[in-house]
Amino acid sequence: MSQTPEPVDRGTHVIARRIRVEASAEELYTIIANPHRHHELDGSGTVRTSAIGPRELHLGDRFRVDMRKYSIPYALTMVTTAAEPHRVVEWRHPGGHRWRWELQPEDAATVVTESYDYTGQPAPMRRLLELVGVHRDNGKGIAASLQRVHDRFART
């Protein structure tokens, strides 16, 4: 596997990338499942350092994350839709899309896959967001987030 995020085909309306990270699934899960640490992963530059919610997400948990885009601050409340320790964390955005992190242990490393699934968005919203480039930008953010995680744990 390459040292840069590679695309993963998950079908229409899902953007996914993966990368191999020199860290255990346990180490990675500790960060990914903690919304107070999501800013450490964020490659989009939108997630702020403040969050409200549990320190480890479980199915059904709600959490709020402070965000900033185009210099405009806002907050989003997400709902955890999947949580399996050291394997997967997923949450649903109020707009209907889901962010998902999957961890697959591989020797002394972990293959990390992040996806943005916008099949749950209402069709008019999906089309509008496609037109203004939100989905494309989210794909770039995923690649940057995965690269950030990779570089954080890279062995020199």
Side-chain angles (χ1 to χ4, degrees):
M1 181 168 288
S2 72
Q3 297 296 314
T4 59
E6 59 186 37
V8 177
D9 184 2
R10 294 283 170 91
T12 307
H13 307 306
V14 179
I15 299 168
R17 307 267 187 282
R18 71 178 169 211
I19 196 166
R20 187 173 192 273
V21 177
E22 298 296 323
S24 71
E26 290 82 5
E27 287 176 280
L28 296 165
Y29 190 84
T30 298
I31 300 169
I32 296 165
N34 183 346
H36 299 269
R37 297 186 69 184
H38 284 179
H39 64 279
E40 296 176 37
L41 306 169
D42 177 43
S44 71
T46 60
V47 179
R48 304 292 90 192
T49 59
S50 56
I52 298 172
R55 298 281 174 182
E56 181 178 328
L57 296 173
H58 297 280
L59 184 63
D61 283 347
R62 293 180 176 278
F63 64 98
R64 190 189 96 168
V65 181
D66 290 332
M67 312 281 288
R68 179 184 286 285
K69 189 164 186 160
Y70 307 120
S71 300
I72 300 169
Y74 60 100
L76 294 172
T77 299
M78 314 288 193
V79 178
T80 308
T81 51
E84 183 181 334
H86 314 139
R87 291 299 214 190
V88 65
V89 178
E90 179 187 82
W91 54 87
R92 186 180 66 245
H93 181 280
H97 57 272
R98 296 173 189 259
W99 291 97
R100 183 177 182 90
W101 289 78
E102 297 169 82
L103 306 171
Q104 179 183 348
E106 186 178 272
D107 301 322
T110 304
V111 175
V112 180
T113 304
E114 182 184 2
S115 60
Y116 164 70
D117 179 346
Y118 55 103
T119 57
Q121 290 175 339
M125 177 190 288
R126 187 171 49 239
R127 283 192 294 277
L128 174 64
L129 294 177
E130 285 173 342
L131 282 172
V132 298
V134 168
H135 304 315
R136 180 193 64 243
D137 290 348
N138 284 341
K140 290 177 184 176
I142 288 171
S145 294
L146 289 173
Q147 192 66 57
R148 189 173 187 167
V149 171
H150 172 273
D151 294 350
R152 177 180 183 152
F153 292 97
R155 297 192 176 115
T156 56

